[in-house]
Amino acid sequence: MSSAGTTLPGDPPGGRRALAVWGVGVAVYFVAVIFRTSLGVAGLDAVERFHVGASALSTFSILQLLVYAGMQIPVGLLVDRLGTKKVLAIGAVLFTLGQLGFALSPSYGTALASRALLGCGDALTFISVLRLGTRWFPARRGPLVAQLAGLAGMAGNLVSTLVIARLLHGIGWTAAFAGSALAGVVVLVLLLLFLKDHPDGHEPEPVPHQGATYVRRQIAASWREPGTRLGLWVHFTTQFPAMVFLLLWGLPFLVEAQGLTRATAGELLTLVVLSNMVVGLVFGQIIARHHRARLPLALATVGATALLWAATLAYPAEHAPMWLLIVLCVVLGACGPASMIGFDFSRPANPPERQGTASGITNMGGFIASMTTLLAIGVLLDATGDDYTVAFSAVFVLQALGVSQILRLRGRAARRERERLVASRVSSVHVPV
């Protein structure tokens, strides 16, 4: 069923004002992703600066993901309680201080604390931007708006790959990271001046706070919805293969297991980012027009990812051919947009006052899977003497777990969503004009 014409009662109007306000929020998220992924291009510099080995270096990434994932439900509750502008402002302050602290850190310990602070601020941004989209745009635009937000994040990843890397080699560690922190100050000023939580006339109903009781009710009510749990498992199953590849293990795999140069491996990592940006636009348009395409697109991405990984790891030669590695990277680029589909299940399953909480639960999925896989690959590489075929087989285990849960929940989520849509249409008929 096409959802292009579906308009729910009380939908915000969208328009240029909505695009401008939402654009400010997206700019904050864009800078947060630049800061988040800047370590990916500074790994070798960090080893030299802090005199650490590979395992200590990987702790930066794992800690950052741990903080990010652990913050998602608290962030969702904060967004529901305080509103988008306040939470985004707090996030911008924290991730800017974290980036500046990383620039000036004299030791590994202080650098680790700075990355944790950065991860905490980063965690406050994405859920806030999703909430901003639901407040300013009609529901039928939700899938496209969410995909565009994800696209902005991948653009931030691209900037860190192309710009931060050059700054590091040109002006050095301290100047590069401290200079980039100025971008955080700029978006904070824009946020304070121009961002507004919702358009006039679309204020949400006030939710009385009841301390711990309120928190438990918000989480429990969101979790009871099959759409929230389905969203979490879709996010869990789709996001992590690309996240693990881009964040830590892609470069070692391409260089050590596939015999590529660092330059060529870097180009393939960039290809993943570019593919993500293109596929995000395509997925957003498809889902906005054909709501039933959500689950087929997600499952097709999981299947294609598993097939390409299996073909690459099992290729009957010492190294997989370049064409196969290129196809693998293009398919990995679809993982990010497919993970955004998870929010297209949790969003309609929850009323406006629970959107932040539900999005936080959903967003935990992919990051939990990514942390698990990062650790599993590292342990298996140590246990097998750097056998990447065995180590990357962990991907299939988590995909199988996720798909089993998706198939278990899809029927219940679909029935509940139909019930909500019918109820909203009935209520719109009885609303007095």
Side-chain angles (χ1 to χ4, degrees), residues 4-59:
T6 301
T7 301
L8 299 178
D11 258 359
R16 292 182 180 179
R17 176 80 192 284
L19 192 60
V21 173
W22 176 77
V24 173
V26 168
V28 178
Y29 175 56
F30 171 76
V31 172
V33 175
I34 294 176
F35 292 178
R36 178 201 306 174
T37 57
S38 58
L39 180 63
V41 298
L44 296 178
D45 303 83
V47 168
E48 183 178 343
R49 180 178 178 87
F50 301 119
H51 309 291
V52 296
S55 59
L57 181 63
S58 68
T59 304

Side-chain angles (χ1 to χ4, degrees), residues 72-73 75-80 127 131 214-215 218-220 222-223 228 350 353-362:
Q72 289 311 293
I73 290 180
V75 168
L77 291 164
L78 282 174
V79 171
D80 287 338
I127 299 302
R131 171 64 170 268
Y214 165 80
V215 171
Q218 284 287 91
I219 295 173
S222 297
W223 184 254
T228 304
N350 291 272
E353 64 271 16
R354 288 206 310 264
Q355 288 293 321
T357 306
S359 295
I361 293 172
T362 299

Side-chain angles (χ1 to χ4, degrees), residues 34-341:
I34 294 176
F35 292 178
R36 178 201 306 174
T37 57
S38 58
L39 180 63
V41 298
L44 296 178
D45 303 83
V47 168
E48 183 178 343
R49 180 178 178 87
F50 301 119
H51 309 291
V52 296
S55 59
L57 181 63
S58 68
T59 304
F60 280 124
S61 298
I62 293 172
L63 175 64
Q64 202 166 319
L65 286 183
L66 182 63
V67 171
Y68 190 102
M71 284 288 293
Q72 289 311 293
I73 290 180
V75 168
L77 291 164
L78 282 174
V79 171
D80 287 338
R81 185 63 194 162
L82 300 179
T84 301
K85 184 171 184 174
K86 291 179 181 178
V87 175
L88 271 179
I90 295 169
V93 170
L94 292 178
F95 67 61
T96 301
L97 290 175
Q99 186 79 339
L100 183 61
F102 196 57
L104 303 176
S105 291
S107 66
Y108 174 73
T110 54
L112 201 62
S114 296
R115 294 305 287 188
L117 183 64
L118 192 159
C120 186
D122 178 22
L124 296 172
T125 60
F126 185 64
I127 299 302
S128 299
V129 172
L130 287 180
R131 171 64 170 268
L132 198 64
T134 63
R135 289 298 191 197
W136 280 90
F137 292 96
R140 69 180 184 277
R141 299 295 184 193
L144 181 59
V145 169
Q147 289 288 353
L148 289 174
L151 182 66
M154 293 311 295
N157 195 331
L158 198 60
V159 167
S160 68
T161 302
L162 299 177
V163 178
I164 301 294
R166 292 184 180 180
L167 288 175
L168 277 168
H169 298 142
I171 61 177
W173 178 283
T174 301
F177 281 105
S180 66
L182 290 175
V185 177
V186 172
V187 294
L188 177 60
V189 172
L190 291 174
L191 158 69
L192 295 176
L193 290 177
F194 300 112
L195 194 135
K196 189 177 179 182
D197 282 346
H198 46 73
D200 294 333
H202 291 270
E203 294 81 359
E205 291 290 331
V207 180
H209 196 289
Q210 300 174 353
T213 302
Y214 165 80
V215 171
R216 287 195 298 269
R217 285 179 178 174
Q218 284 287 91
I219 295 173
S222 297
W223 184 254
R224 278 196 300 269
E225 292 291 344
T228 304
R229 284 174 280 147
L230 179 59
L232 179 146
W233 284 108
V234 167
H235 199 268
F236 177 102
T237 314
T238 52
Q239 188 202 51
F240 78 92
M243 175 72 75
V244 167
F245 196 79
L246 287 172
L247 200 60
L248 189 61
W249 293 118
L251 190 69
F253 170 76
L254 294 171
V255 173
E256 296 179 1
Q258 298 301 321
L260 302 181
T261 64
R262 287 181 178 267
T264 303
E267 291 171 356
L268 286 176
L269 293 181
T270 303
L271 178 61
V272 177
V273 177
L274 293 174
S275 172
N276 184 299
M277 297 172 75
V278 173
V279 174
L281 288 174
V282 174
F283 277 17
Q285 292 286 357
I286 292 174
I287 296 169
R289 289 171 169 77
H290 307 285
H291 219 45
R292 289 182 179 175
R294 291 173 300 171
L295 203 55
L297 283 176
L299 292 175
T301 301
V302 175
T305 305
L307 179 63
L308 266 297
W309 263 122
T312 302
L313 297 176
Y315 194 80
E318 185 178 359
H319 299 138
M322 179 57 71
W323 68 264
L324 182 54
L325 295 176
I326 289 174
V327 175
L328 171 66
C329 289
V330 170
V331 170
L332 285 175
C335 291
S339 72
M340 298 299 297
I341 296 173

